[in-house]
């Protein structure tokens, strides 16, 4: 019923896949497709994966969405 996607962006402080040109372009395409399908897309760092802040953010998004 509710669609949630979480993109974990690793390598934020180094030259990783998410900040190389082709990887960045592919991520944009993937995230745009998810949004077009009605997903809430959250981009996070690996450190945020199980954080209370992320859980709260997701709950806020879902409670504010009429479905």
């Amino acid at each position: 019923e509710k669609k949630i996607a979480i993109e974990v962006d690793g390598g934020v402080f180094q030259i990783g896949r998410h900040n190389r040109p082709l990887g960045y372009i592919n991520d944009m395409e993937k995230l745009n497709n998810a949004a077009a399908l009605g997903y809430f897309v959250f981009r996070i760092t690996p450190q945020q994966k199980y954080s209370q802040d992320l859980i709260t953010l997701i709950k806020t998004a879902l409670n504010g969405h009429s479905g």
Side-chain angles (χ1 to χ4, degrees):
E1 179 179 325
K2 306 287 184 176
K3 298 178 180 182
I4 296 173
I6 298 174
E7 174 76 7
V8 181
D9 287 332
V12 176
F13 296 104
Q14 58 190 9
I15 303 300
R17 181 207 179 285
H18 293 284
N19 47 19
R20 288 190 190 125
L22 186 56
Y24 190 81
I25 290 168
N26 289 339
D27 280 349
M28 287 173 36
E29 184 176 307
K30 174 177 55 178
L31 296 173
N32 286 339
N33 285 330
L37 293 171
Y39 281 85
F40 284 100
V41 181
F42 296 95
R43 294 183 67 186
I44 64 170
T45 65
Q47 294 78 15
Q48 294 171 304
K49 209 178 334 184
Y50 302 108
S51 73
Q52 186 59 47
D53 288 343
L54 176 61
I55 293 167
T56 300
L57 183 63
I58 292 169
K59 286 180 180 178
T60 299
L62 292 176
N63 290 333
H65 182 61
S66 61

